[in-house]
Amino acid sequence: MIDPTNLLQAGIELGPETLPLLLVVAGLGLSIAEAMAPGAHFAVLGVALLGAGIVGLLLGPVAGPLVLAVLVLVFGGLALAGYRRFDVYGDSGIGQTSDSSSLRGRTGRVTERVTPRSGGVKLDRGGFNPNYSARSMDGEIPVGTEVLVIDPGGGNVLTVTALDDVADDIDAELARGKAAESEDSDDAPTREEESERA
């Protein structure tokens, strides 16, 4: 059994000057642990300890325990801000749904041919698992087609329609405008008719 007092008697000193080196070792250990078990469990703390330890080594004797504590807080804050800003693991919660009704109006792509009886879609910003079973109102929707959720169906089986089949208010108004223009052009006399009248 190793007695800690024997380590100190053997000439190994763990004074304040070794603290930056311990921070670097701990930061590397946490970074390796993060690489083995991804999920941002150790990423922020590992970066904070590693950064503070490296700066502590560069500062030399100026880097006392208080300075290193401040450096750990600074690097920890920067690592946390960077982690949230760049959404490293894509789990910021933006794409997660709070309930099935929030799926209404979402868009996605067909991953398995959708029929009134079966099919599958992958929603844009669909949460942790964006893949859902889907059904169409009528007809088939081929793989790769962009779709719109029209009924979330409790979140288990979505009812979708092809996005190309959806006409919104703007599309309807544009169609009315084109129809009105074509009626006006049909009613207007042609140049030949005008020259005959003159």
Side-chain angles (χ1 to χ4, degrees):
M1 178 179 231
I2 298 176
D3 185 13
T5 55
N6 288 342
L7 284 176
L8 294 176
Q9 291 173 354
I12 300 173
E13 293 185 28
L14 299 175
E17 61 278 352
T18 60
L19 193 54
L21 184 60
L22 290 174
L23 289 176
V24 168
V25 170
L28 285 173
L30 287 173
S31 298
I32 291 169
E34 178 64 29
M36 295 173 101
H41 304 292
F42 307 113
V44 173
L45 184 57
V47 168
L49 293 177
L50 185 61
I54 290 172
V55 171
L57 287 173
L58 295 175
L59 290 177
V62 176
L66 187 60
V67 171
L68 291 174
V70 170
L71 286 173
V72 167
L73 290 175
V74 168
F75 280 107
L78 291 173
L80 182 61
Y83 171 78
R84 287 187 177 168
R85 168 75 172 98
F86 296 112
D87 195 16
V88 177
Y89 289 104
D91 60 354
S92 65
I94 293 172
Q96 295 179 351
T97 57
S98 57
D99 58 9
S100 64
S101 64
S102 66
L103 295 174
R104 185 181 313 276
R106 294 270 176 102
T107 59
R109 292 218 175 264
V110 175
T111 56
E112 179 185 331
R113 182 178 57 104
V114 176
T115 67
R117 295 186 160 271
S118 65
V121 295
K122 181 176 183 179
L123 296 183
D124 304 328
R125 301 174 323 172
F128 178 71
N129 182 2
N131 298 305
Y132 291 88
S133 294
R135 308 292 181 263
S136 66
M137 293 293 285
D138 55 347
E140 294 183 1
I141 305 173
V143 173
T145 304
E146 197 168 4
V147 293
L148 176 74
V149 176
I150 55 176
D151 182 15
N156 295 332
V157 179
L158 309 176
T159 302
V160 297
T161 186
L163 205 54
D164 295 338
D165 296 342
V166 177
D168 60 6
D169 295 337
I170 295 173
D171 292 334
E173 189 63 35
L174 287 172
R176 276 189 234 123
K178 286 181 182 179
E181 284 178 11
S182 66
E183 286 177 12
D184 290 342
S185 65
D186 291 343
D187 294 339
T190 62
R191 289 184 183 171
E192 294 171 359
E193 291 174 348
E194 288 178 359
S195 62
E196 288 176 7
R197 289 182 189 167

XYZ file of all heavy atoms in Angstrom, residues 51-131:
579
model
N -6.995 24.751 -20.681
C -6.612 26.133 -21.011
C -5.949 26.832 -19.835
O -4.917 27.500 -19.976
N -6.528 26.708 -18.649
C -5.946 27.339 -17.462
C -4.579 26.749 -17.148
O -3.650 27.477 -16.776
C -6.884 27.173 -16.274
N -4.427 25.456 -17.313
C -3.131 24.822 -17.048
C -2.059 25.283 -18.015
O -0.924 25.563 -17.610
N -2.396 25.391 -19.301
C -1.407 25.844 -20.289
C -0.995 27.281 -20.022
O 0.197 27.611 -20.033
C -1.960 25.667 -21.719
C -2.045 24.177 -22.056
C -1.104 26.399 -22.738
C -2.758 23.868 -23.350
N -1.975 28.154 -19.773
C -1.643 29.551 -19.466
C -0.854 29.614 -18.165
O 0.096 30.405 -18.040
C -2.918 30.420 -19.406
C -2.618 31.811 -18.874
C -3.569 30.514 -20.779
N -1.197 28.781 -17.188
C -0.451 28.737 -15.932
C 0.995 28.327 -16.138
O 1.905 28.872 -15.510
N 1.229 27.375 -17.043
C 2.608 26.981 -17.350
C 3.373 28.122 -18.016
O 4.565 28.318 -17.755
C 2.625 25.743 -18.249
C 2.242 24.416 -17.581
C 2.139 23.308 -18.624
C 3.247 24.059 -16.501
N 2.699 28.870 -18.875
C 3.345 29.992 -19.560
C 3.645 31.149 -18.601
O 4.648 31.837 -18.761
C 2.476 30.484 -20.720
C 2.279 29.498 -21.876
C 1.293 30.061 -22.887
C 3.607 29.182 -22.535
N 2.763 31.353 -17.625
C 2.960 32.454 -16.677
C 4.042 32.152 -15.645
O 4.621 33.064 -15.070
C 1.654 32.779 -15.960
C 0.562 33.425 -16.806
C -0.702 33.620 -15.975
C 1.027 34.755 -17.374
N 4.284 30.876 -15.404
C 5.329 30.491 -14.449
C 4.923 30.752 -13.017
O 3.792 30.461 -12.614
N 5.832 31.347 -12.230
C 5.573 31.521 -10.796
C 4.449 32.517 -10.493
O 3.930 32.548 -9.381
C 6.899 32.017 -10.233
C 7.714 32.435 -11.393
C 7.161 31.761 -12.602
N 4.063 33.333 -11.469
C 2.977 34.295 -11.252
C 1.641 33.568 -11.074
O 0.734 34.061 -10.414
C 2.889 35.283 -12.447
C 1.718 36.219 -12.299
C 4.188 36.040 -12.589
N 1.545 32.368 -11.654
C 0.294 31.612 -11.639
C 0.114 30.881 -10.323
O 0.394 29.695 -10.194
C 0.262 30.634 -12.803
N -0.375 31.595 -9.338
C -0.683 30.973 -8.055
C -2.071 30.347 -8.104
O -2.787 30.423 -9.114
N -2.482 29.732 -7.029
C -3.796 29.078 -6.994
C -4.958 30.027 -7.296
O -5.906 29.652 -7.982
C -3.906 28.530 -5.567
C -2.497 28.381 -5.105
C -1.729 29.470 -5.799
N -4.890 31.263 -6.822
C -5.964 32.225 -7.077
C -6.025 32.606 -8.556
O -7.104 32.657 -9.149
C -5.767 33.467 -6.204
C -6.902 34.488 -6.244
C -8.207 33.850 -5.785
C -6.572 35.692 -5.400
N -4.887 32.850 -9.169
C -4.830 33.185 -10.597
C -5.347 32.013 -11.428
O -6.117 32.189 -12.381
C -3.387 33.565 -11.010
C -3.268 33.707 -12.521
C -2.957 34.847 -10.315
N -4.956 30.798 -11.062
C -5.416 29.619 -11.791
C -6.921 29.411 -11.637
O -7.597 29.009 -12.593
C -4.653 28.380 -11.330
C -3.176 28.344 -11.734
C -2.484 27.147 -11.095
C -3.027 28.293 -13.235
N -7.451 29.707 -10.461
C -8.900 29.589 -10.253
C -9.646 30.558 -11.159
O -10.657 30.202 -11.778
C -9.243 29.841 -8.792
N -9.143 31.785 -11.277
C -9.761 32.771 -12.166
C -9.658 32.314 -13.619
O -10.614 32.426 -14.392
C -9.117 34.168 -11.964
C -9.567 35.146 -13.038
C -9.445 34.708 -10.582
N -8.486 31.772 -13.987
C -8.307 31.284 -15.356
C -9.259 30.124 -15.673
O -9.804 30.042 -16.778
C -6.861 30.844 -15.581
C -5.833 31.963 -15.717
C -4.421 31.378 -15.751
C -6.104 32.784 -16.947
N -9.490 29.230 -14.703
C -10.434 28.128 -14.918
C -11.827 28.684 -15.153
O -12.545 28.239 -16.062
C -10.425 27.143 -13.719
C -11.607 26.196 -13.788
C -9.131 26.364 -13.679
N -12.231 29.695 -14.377
C -13.550 30.312 -14.579
C -13.644 30.998 -15.934
O -14.658 30.870 -16.632
C -13.841 31.304 -13.452
C -14.093 30.694 -12.075
C -14.259 31.781 -11.029
C -15.318 29.800 -12.100
N -12.612 31.717 -16.332
C -12.624 32.416 -17.620
C -12.691 31.418 -18.771
O -13.533 31.534 -19.672
C -11.382 33.333 -17.755
C -11.225 33.839 -19.183
C -11.482 34.502 -16.794
N -11.807 30.428 -18.747
C -11.809 29.433 -19.818
C -13.085 28.582 -19.803
O -13.582 28.180 -20.849
C -10.568 28.544 -19.754
C -9.344 29.191 -20.339
C -8.329 29.652 -19.522
C -9.222 29.342 -21.709
C -7.212 30.248 -20.058
C -8.102 29.937 -22.259
C -7.092 30.398 -21.438
N -13.615 28.323 -18.632
C -14.874 27.590 -18.535
C -16.018 28.370 -19.151
O -16.854 27.819 -19.878
N -16.075 29.681 -18.856
C -17.112 30.531 -19.452
C -16.982 30.606 -20.963
O -17.980 30.525 -21.694
N -15.749 30.752 -21.450
C -15.531 30.792 -22.907
C -15.895 29.463 -23.568
O -16.506 29.435 -24.640
C -14.074 31.148 -23.206
C -13.643 32.578 -22.878
C -12.140 32.739 -23.065
C -14.397 33.573 -23.726
N -15.519 28.354 -22.917
C -15.844 27.037 -23.477
C -17.350 26.814 -23.505
O -17.895 26.301 -24.491
C -15.156 25.941 -22.669
N -18.040 27.213 -22.455
C -19.491 27.058 -22.409
C -20.170 27.922 -23.471
O -21.079 27.460 -24.176
C -20.025 27.399 -21.018
C -21.524 27.225 -20.814
C -21.913 25.767 -21.032
C -21.936 27.681 -19.430
N -19.717 29.165 -23.615
C -20.287 30.047 -24.639
C -20.032 29.490 -26.034
O -20.925 29.493 -26.885
C -19.694 31.449 -24.499
N -18.825 29.003 -26.274
C -18.513 28.412 -27.572
C -19.316 27.155 -27.838
O -19.809 26.937 -28.944
N -19.471 26.342 -26.807
C -20.252 25.110 -26.948
C -21.694 25.425 -27.321
O -22.270 24.819 -28.218
C -20.187 24.327 -25.644
C -21.126 23.144 -25.604
C -20.808 21.971 -26.261
C -22.336 23.219 -24.920
C -21.671 20.895 -26.239
C -23.191 22.156 -24.897
C -22.856 20.993 -25.551
O -23.713 19.935 -25.532
N -22.274 26.403 -26.650
C -23.663 26.781 -26.949
C -23.780 27.486 -28.283
O -24.734 27.297 -29.020
C -24.211 27.668 -25.843
C -24.486 26.905 -24.585
C -25.180 27.753 -23.565
N -25.486 26.958 -22.389
C -25.889 27.473 -21.258
N -26.049 28.776 -21.145
N -26.156 26.696 -20.245
N -22.812 28.329 -28.605
C -22.871 29.110 -29.854
C -22.778 28.207 -31.080
O -23.506 28.371 -32.035
C -21.726 30.125 -29.867
C -21.469 30.808 -31.188
C -22.542 31.850 -31.458
N -22.220 32.635 -32.617
C -22.721 32.410 -33.827
N -23.541 31.424 -34.027
N -22.395 33.186 -34.838
N -21.854 27.251 -31.052
C -21.623 26.401 -32.218
C -22.420 25.105 -32.169
O -22.373 24.326 -33.107
C -20.132 26.115 -32.379
C -19.345 27.355 -32.654
C -18.450 27.852 -31.727
C -19.527 28.060 -33.831
C -17.734 28.999 -31.976
C -18.816 29.214 -34.089
C -17.914 29.692 -33.160
N -23.169 24.875 -31.082
C -24.044 23.709 -30.952
C -23.317 22.445 -31.408
O -23.722 21.757 -32.342
C -25.316 23.934 -31.768
C -26.410 22.947 -31.399
O -26.301 22.305 -30.333
O -27.360 22.819 -32.174
N -22.217 22.137 -30.745
C -21.297 21.070 -31.132
C -21.992 19.738 -31.352
O -21.771 19.064 -32.346
C -20.178 20.925 -30.084
C -19.261 19.766 -30.427
C -19.389 22.218 -29.966
N -22.873 19.360 -30.446
C -23.528 18.064 -30.560
C -24.944 18.163 -31.118
O -25.659 17.184 -31.171
C -23.546 17.342 -29.213
C -22.187 16.861 -28.808
C -21.455 17.511 -27.833
C -21.618 15.755 -29.423
C -20.198 17.069 -27.477
C -20.358 15.315 -29.075
C -19.659 15.970 -28.090
O -18.426 15.537 -27.744
N -25.384 19.361 -31.519
C -26.708 19.524 -32.109
C -27.842 19.233 -31.145
O -28.913 18.827 -31.542
N -27.626 19.467 -29.868
C -28.661 19.159 -28.892
C -29.100 20.391 -28.121
O -29.446 20.328 -26.968
C -28.176 18.090 -27.914
C -26.935 18.519 -27.145
O -26.388 19.591 -27.458
O -26.510 17.786 -26.240
N -29.123 21.524 -28.797
C -29.476 22.754 -28.099
C -30.942 22.835 -27.750
O -31.360 23.722 -27.050
C -29.097 23.964 -28.946
O -29.878 23.969 -30.121
N -31.751 21.932 -28.257
C -33.163 21.939 -27.934
C -33.995 22.696 -28.944
O -35.207 22.708 -28.862
N -33.371 23.346 -29.913
C -34.119 24.094 -30.913
C -34.996 23.169 -31.720
O -36.138 23.474 -32.018
C -33.156 24.861 -31.835
C -32.450 25.949 -31.051
C -33.888 25.466 -33.021
C -31.347 26.628 -31.805
N -34.447 22.003 -32.070
C -35.202 21.087 -32.899
C -36.120 20.161 -32.128
O -36.846 19.388 -32.718
N -36.098 20.226 -30.809
C -36.916 19.325 -30.037
C -38.340 19.843 -29.948
O -38.588 21.042 -29.910
C -36.332 19.141 -28.645
C -34.999 18.452 -28.700
C -34.399 18.280 -27.331
O -34.888 18.817 -26.364
N -33.325 17.530 -27.249
N -39.268 18.930 -29.902
C -40.668 19.311 -29.825
C -41.144 19.233 -28.388
O -40.673 18.424 -27.601
C -41.521 18.367 -30.695
O -41.302 17.040 -30.260
C -41.167 18.505 -32.149
N -42.097 20.090 -28.051
C -42.625 20.047 -26.703
C -43.838 19.136 -26.631
O -44.113 18.543 -25.612
C -42.987 21.459 -26.231
O -43.903 22.046 -27.131
N -44.599 19.039 -27.708
C -45.719 18.117 -27.782
C -46.032 17.846 -29.249
O -45.471 18.469 -30.143
C -46.939 18.649 -27.029
C -47.395 20.003 -27.547
O -46.895 20.457 -28.592
O -48.267 20.608 -26.913
N -46.931 16.915 -29.487
C -47.196 16.513 -30.864
C -47.815 17.631 -31.692
O -47.590 17.714 -32.894
C -48.082 15.276 -30.900
O -49.348 15.562 -30.341
N -48.579 18.526 -31.063
C -49.217 19.592 -31.838
C -48.192 20.558 -32.430
O -48.473 21.229 -33.417
C -50.226 20.351 -30.983
O -49.580 21.013 -29.922
N -46.991 20.608 -31.853
C -45.967 21.491 -32.406
C -45.392 20.953 -33.712
O -44.648 21.641 -34.400
C -44.854 21.723 -31.391
O -44.162 20.530 -31.146
N -45.744 19.709 -34.071
C -45.278 19.145 -35.342
C -46.103 19.645 -36.526
O -45.657 19.569 -37.664
C -45.334 17.614 -35.291
C -44.401 16.940 -34.294
C -44.679 15.445 -34.244
C -42.960 17.202 -34.644
N -47.310 20.149 -36.275
C -48.170 20.636 -37.352
C -47.468 21.790 -38.079
O -46.947 22.703 -37.473
C -49.500 21.120 -36.805
C -50.491 21.538 -37.882
C -51.800 22.052 -37.306
N -52.372 21.229 -36.263
C -53.133 20.158 -36.472
N -53.403 19.778 -37.701
N -53.621 19.475 -35.451
N -47.428 21.687 -39.416
C -46.807 22.727 -40.228
C -45.320 22.516 -40.472
O -44.709 23.273 -41.216
N -44.723 21.519 -39.846
C -43.306 21.236 -40.079
C -43.118 20.620 -41.460
O -44.008 19.969 -41.992
C -42.766 20.260 -39.034
C -42.723 20.802 -37.638
C -41.396 21.481 -37.372
N -41.370 22.083 -36.074
C -40.769 21.568 -35.020
N -40.148 20.418 -35.116
N -40.773 22.200 -33.884
N -41.958 20.829 -42.007
C -41.641 20.247 -43.310
C -40.585 19.171 -43.147
O -39.891 19.110 -42.139
C -41.123 21.324 -44.285
O -39.961 21.931 -43.733
C -42.183 22.369 -44.570
N -40.488 18.324 -44.158
C -39.507 17.259 -44.143
C -39.437 16.592 -45.494
O -39.993 17.084 -46.473
N -38.759 15.458 -45.542
C -38.616 14.702 -46.787
C -39.049 13.260 -46.556
O -38.857 12.703 -45.474
C -37.182 14.711 -47.263
C -36.720 16.071 -47.708
C -35.825 15.970 -48.922
N -35.491 17.288 -49.416
C -36.137 17.893 -50.392
N -37.130 17.314 -50.989
N -35.790 19.088 -50.800
N -39.597 12.682 -47.604
C -40.038 11.293 -47.540
C -38.817 10.383 -47.601
O -37.968 10.509 -48.482
C -41.003 10.973 -48.710
C -41.364 9.498 -48.725
C -42.249 11.831 -48.631
N -38.715 9.458 -46.640
C -37.611 8.492 -46.614
C -38.082 7.110 -47.041
O -37.276 6.284 -47.452
C -37.002 8.400 -45.203
O -38.033 8.060 -44.275
C -36.358 9.717 -44.811
N -39.374 6.863 -46.913
C -39.986 5.602 -47.339
C -41.329 5.968 -47.970
O -42.110 6.717 -47.375
C -40.199 4.705 -46.110
C -40.831 3.393 -46.418
C -41.115 2.599 -45.136
O -40.382 2.764 -44.144
O -42.081 1.828 -45.153
N -41.582 5.487 -49.171
C -42.780 5.857 -49.939
C -44.003 5.933 -49.023
O -44.316 5.002 -48.290
C -43.021 4.831 -51.041
C -44.196 5.138 -51.937
C -44.306 4.091 -53.023
N -44.417 2.744 -52.474
C -45.549 2.042 -52.425
N -46.643 2.522 -52.924
N -45.554 0.840 -51.917
N -44.696 7.091 -49.078
C -45.837 7.317 -48.204
C -47.128 7.021 -48.962
O -47.354 7.528 -50.058
C -45.853 8.772 -47.681
C -47.095 9.037 -46.854
C -44.600 9.066 -46.869
N -47.949 6.185 -48.364
C -49.264 5.839 -48.903
C -50.287 6.080 -47.799
O -49.911 6.405 -46.667
C -49.306 4.359 -49.334
O -49.191 3.542 -48.175
C -48.202 4.034 -50.324
N -51.578 5.895 -48.081
C -52.567 6.030 -47.004
C -52.413 4.979 -45.894
O -53.009 5.114 -44.838
C -53.909 5.861 -47.731
C -53.637 6.302 -49.132
C -52.232 5.851 -49.410
N -51.595 3.941 -46.124
C -51.439 2.878 -45.127
C -50.046 2.798 -44.493
O -49.888 2.239 -43.419
C -51.754 1.530 -45.758
C -53.184 1.406 -46.182
C -53.451 -0.008 -46.650
N -54.848 -0.299 -46.623
C -55.515 -0.798 -45.593
N -54.889 -1.031 -44.481
N -56.792 -1.042 -45.679
N -49.001 3.325 -45.171
C -47.645 3.186 -44.632
C -46.740 4.274 -45.184
O -47.108 4.993 -46.102
C -47.071 1.811 -44.988
O -46.911 1.721 -46.389
N -45.541 4.346 -44.622
C -44.538 5.283 -45.113
C -43.719 5.867 -43.986
O -43.967 5.618 -42.804
N -42.717 6.641 -44.369
C -41.843 7.265 -43.384
C -41.307 8.582 -43.887
O -41.087 8.768 -45.084
N -41.105 9.527 -42.960
C -40.562 10.840 -43.294
C -39.499 11.221 -42.270
O -39.469 10.702 -41.156
C -41.658 11.942 -43.320
C -42.661 11.695 -44.410
C -42.338 12.078 -41.978
N -38.632 12.136 -42.687
C -37.643 12.725 -41.778
C -37.922 14.211 -41.764
O -37.828 14.883 -42.789
C -36.222 12.449 -42.261
C -35.178 13.013 -41.340
C -33.778 12.645 -41.794
C -32.761 13.176 -40.809
N -31.403 12.822 -41.215
N -38.286 14.732 -40.585
C -38.655 16.141 -40.465
C -37.435 17.023 -40.264
O -36.472 16.631 -39.617
C -39.615 16.344 -39.290
C -40.975 15.673 -39.383
C -41.818 16.046 -38.174
C -41.687 16.047 -40.661
N -37.498 18.224 -40.814
C -36.496 19.249 -40.537
C -36.751 19.721 -39.118
O -37.889 19.986 -38.751
C -36.640 20.424 -41.507
C -36.561 19.985 -42.958
O -35.838 19.022 -43.240
O -37.240 20.607 -43.796
N -35.718 19.825 -38.312
C -35.841 20.208 -36.908
C -36.870 19.343 -36.198
O -37.761 19.845 -35.519
C -36.221 21.676 -36.771
C -35.250 22.643 -37.394
C -35.783 24.024 -37.337
N -37.227 23.907 -37.571
C -38.103 24.854 -37.460
N -37.745 26.019 -37.140
N -39.385 24.675 -37.675
N -36.745 18.038 -36.354
C -37.731 17.114 -35.804
C -37.417 16.582 -34.430
O -38.025 15.627 -33.989
N -36.451 17.146 -33.727
C -36.142 16.697 -32.380
C -35.022 15.679 -32.360
O -34.257 15.540 -33.307
N -34.947 14.946 -31.265
C -33.870 13.979 -31.068
C -33.872 12.922 -32.159
O -32.848 12.582 -32.711
C -34.017 13.325 -29.687
C -32.975 12.287 -29.405
C -31.662 12.661 -29.174
C -33.289 10.945 -29.393
C -30.692 11.713 -28.928
C -32.328 9.986 -29.146
C -31.028 10.381 -28.911
N -35.045 12.396 -32.483
C -35.173 11.437 -33.577
C -36.159 12.023 -34.580
O -37.365 11.962 -34.365
C -35.659 10.084 -33.064
C -35.745 9.053 -34.175
O -35.412 9.328 -35.327
N -36.205 7.869 -33.822
N -35.684 12.591 -35.682
C -36.569 13.274 -36.625
C -37.314 12.339 -37.570
O -38.042 12.786 -38.438
C -35.608 14.173 -37.402
C -34.313 13.436 -37.378
C -34.273 12.728 -36.046
N -37.146 11.028 -37.424
C -37.808 10.063 -38.309
C -39.159 9.657 -37.732
O -39.245 9.260 -36.566
C -36.918 8.834 -38.498
C -35.610 9.205 -39.161
O -35.602 9.795 -40.228
N -34.507 8.884 -38.521
